[in-house]
């Protein structure tokens, strides 16, 4: 059966020496033994240090109360060793851990945290050997598709509105909403069945995939796969984030983890390309060739190696774009490239490779 821990711990007792450390080691081992077997949820209710932070990090979901904190070493030790004067909130409060991905959900009080833990358990099975409980169908809100996904390529929208339009009651339980905001991971229900939603978020960084987004999505995909939750993937991404910063952060390695997570998943998987899917991100976001069961594309969707303007920048040197108005010539070439490769106005060229 699932395990829920309410934690407030100062860590190991110094006077117990290695015996205390050994005790934590045995606790860690039990968490690992249960990993992927039963759902594990940690609720941080106060200051938790040392092993009191390691143990929650080994569980599936971490819920923090607004006044709680967690850190490997407390403010006194940090000041002694590093010379930094910092309080518990600045060192390891929920504002810190919401943004670094350690904390998945934040509640105002312990009671609210318990209710969040209950919401999580409502979407999860008792253990990995059984299916999550099915609940009665609650109709989704009556959204008009054009009001949710704009046809204009550069118009910003909130992909959570798209997800709410297809899930029961329009209700999402978003996981890590303040970490790697360019990808949305959420639990929901469709026709009473629990599912996991993974979606690019155009509101942040245009929905591009980077190292943090890849980590967040890969972990969520693996969790859903372990507990038998089908995956619905909503795609609208220009690709992986380029640049020296991302390469230094190991975007290749983290992107590969996302590819690995989708490739090894055995739960039903459905992908919907909303506007665009380019480059490696087209593959990584649960493409047909990674084993997706169904892949659909909206009529205005664009799929390819890269966007039309980027392609023109590579294929057509500046001297070939027109001398009078290079920018206008570039736009015209980009429109021609998009029309010739996407098949607008006729049967889309990508349809045969999609479904």
């Amino acid at each position: 059966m699932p395990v829920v821990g309410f934690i407030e711990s100062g860590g190991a007792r110094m006077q117990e020496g290695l015996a205390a450390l050994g005790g934590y080691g045995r606790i860690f081992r039990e968490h690992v033994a249960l990993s992927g077997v039963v759902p594990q949820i940690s609720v941080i209710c106060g200051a938790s240090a040392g092993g009191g932070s390691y143990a929650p990090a080994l569980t599936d979901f971490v819920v923090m109360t607004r006044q709680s904190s967690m850190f490997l070493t407390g403010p006194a030790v940090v000041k002694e060793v590093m010379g930094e004067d910092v309080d518990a909130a600045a060192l390891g409060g929920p504002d810190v851990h919401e943004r670094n991905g350690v904390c998945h959900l934040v509640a105002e009080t312990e009671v609210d945290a318990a209710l969040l833990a209950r919401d999580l358990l409502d979407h999860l099975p008792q253990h990995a050997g059984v299916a999550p409980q099915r609940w009665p169908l609650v109709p989704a809100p009556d959204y008009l598709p054009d009001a949710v996904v704009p046809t204009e390529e550069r118009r910003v929208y909130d992909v959570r509105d798209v997800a709410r339009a297809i899930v029961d009651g329009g209700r999402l339980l978003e996981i890590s909403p303040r970490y790697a905001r360019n990808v949305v991971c959420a639990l929901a229900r469709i026709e009473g069945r629990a599912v996991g939603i993974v979606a690019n978020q155009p509101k942040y960084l245009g929905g591009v995939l980077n190292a943090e987004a890849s980590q967040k999505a890969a972990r969520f995909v693996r969790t859903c796969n372990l507990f038998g939750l089908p995956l619905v993937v909503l795609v609208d991404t220009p690709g992986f984030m380029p640049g020296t910063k991302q390469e230094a952060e190991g975007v290749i390695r983290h992107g590969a983890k996302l590819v690995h997570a989708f490739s090894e998943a055995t739960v039903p998987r459905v992908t919907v390309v909303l506007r665009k899917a380019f480059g490696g991100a087209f593959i990584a976001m649960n493409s047909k060739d990674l084993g997706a069961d169904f892949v659909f594309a909206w009529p205005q969707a664009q799929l390819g190696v890269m966007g039309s303007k980027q392609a023109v920048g590579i294929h057509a040197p500046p001297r070939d774009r027109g001398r009078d108005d290079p920018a206008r010539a570039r736009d015209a070439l980009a429109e021609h490239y998009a029309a010739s490769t996407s098949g607008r106005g006729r049967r889309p060229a990508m349809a045969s490779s999609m479904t």
Side-chain angles (χ1 to χ4, degrees):
M1 61 184 67
V3 175
V4 180
F6 290 83
I7 300 169
E8 180 176 1
S9 169
R13 295 186 69 195
M14 294 177 61
Q15 58 268 43
E16 291 187 3
L18 291 181
L21 298 180
Y24 266 121
R26 290 190 291 275
I27 293 174
F28 299 161
R29 187 177 181 184
E30 294 300 327
H31 279 303
V32 172
L34 290 179
S35 181
V37 180
V38 298
Q40 300 182 76
I41 300 172
S42 295
V43 180
I44 312 301
C45 298
S48 297
S53 61
Y54 271 129
L58 291 169
T59 61
D60 299 301
F61 298 99
V62 176
V63 182
M64 294 183 72
T65 60
R66 185 58 65 185
Q67 302 302 318
S68 67
S69 57
M70 56 190 299
F71 30 71
L72 297 182
T73 53
V77 177
V78 171
K79 185 174 183 178
E80 178 71 23
V81 177
M82 304 298 296
E84 297 181 30
D85 195 358
V86 64
D87 61 19
L91 181 62
D95 284 342
V96 175
H97 293 309
E98 277 186 294
R99 291 182 169 87
N100 64 21
V102 171
C103 169
H104 300 97
L105 295 166
V106 175
E108 292 299 322
T109 68
E110 286 86 352
V111 173
D112 294 329
L115 294 175
L116 281 176
R118 187 175 70 175
D119 283 347
L120 287 168
L121 292 174
D122 277 345
H123 293 86
L124 298 169
Q126 280 289 96
H127 57 82
V130 298
Q133 183 176 354
R134 184 175 181 180
W135 295 99
L137 171 64
V138 178
D142 188 15
Y143 284 110
L144 293 175
D146 288 342
V148 176
V149 181
T151 55
E152 300 90 338
E153 294 179 15
R154 294 190 177 184
R155 185 177 169 189
V156 175
Y157 68 99
D158 192 335
V159 77
R160 291 172 296 187
D161 290 336
V162 182
R164 292 187 184 104
I166 62 175
V167 302
D168 294 358
R171 187 171 183 270
L172 296 174
L173 179 57
E174 189 174 354
I175 305 302
S176 299
R178 297 183 68 186
Y179 169 60
R181 292 185 174 189
N182 42 323
V183 69
V184 171
C185 299
L187 298 173
R189 290 186 178 275
I190 295 179
E191 295 190 349
R193 293 184 173 90
V195 300
I197 307 286
V198 181
N200 304 115
Q201 176 58 289
K203 281 187 66 175
Y204 298 97
L205 300 177
V208 70
L209 283 178
N210 57 10
E212 286 190 342
S214 298
Q215 293 178 60
K216 174 181 174 179
R219 188 183 192 279
F220 182 75
V221 167
R222 286 200 171 97
T223 301
C224 290
N225 188 55
L226 286 169
F227 295 116
L229 303 185
L231 290 162
V232 177
V233 185
L234 305 176
V235 182
D236 187 352
T237 177
F240 277 94
M241 177 76 82
T244 56
K245 185 175 185 293
Q246 280 297 303
E247 296 294 352
E249 291 181 1
V251 66
I252 296 173
R253 174 167 54 89
H254 297 302
K257 290 294 184 183
L258 180 58
V259 170
H260 193 284
F262 274 125
S263 296
E264 71 175 356
T266 57
V267 294
R269 291 181 280 148
V270 176
T271 294
V272 181
V273 182
L274 302 177
R275 281 202 305 195
K276 57 186 177 297
F278 294 138
F282 161 78
I283 304 171
M285 288 298 292
N286 195 43
S287 63
K288 176 185 176 182
D289 295 299
L290 285 187
D293 296 287
F294 294 97
V295 180
F296 302 98
W298 281 34
Q300 74 268 25
Q302 300 178 50
L303 302 96
V305 176
M306 63 182 67
S308 57
K309 288 191 175 181
Q310 291 76 20
V312 167
I314 293 175
H315 287 294
R319 64 178 181 274
D320 296 336
R321 297 180 197 158
R323 296 179 180 178
D324 297 334
D325 192 344
R328 186 175 181 181
R330 179 189 176 108
D331 291 341
L333 285 170
E335 290 180 9
H336 174 73
Y337 178 88
S340 63
T341 57
S342 69
R344 290 182 177 178
R346 56 184 174 82
R347 182 177 177 82
M350 70 288 215
S352 62
S353 64
M354 286 295 298
T355 59

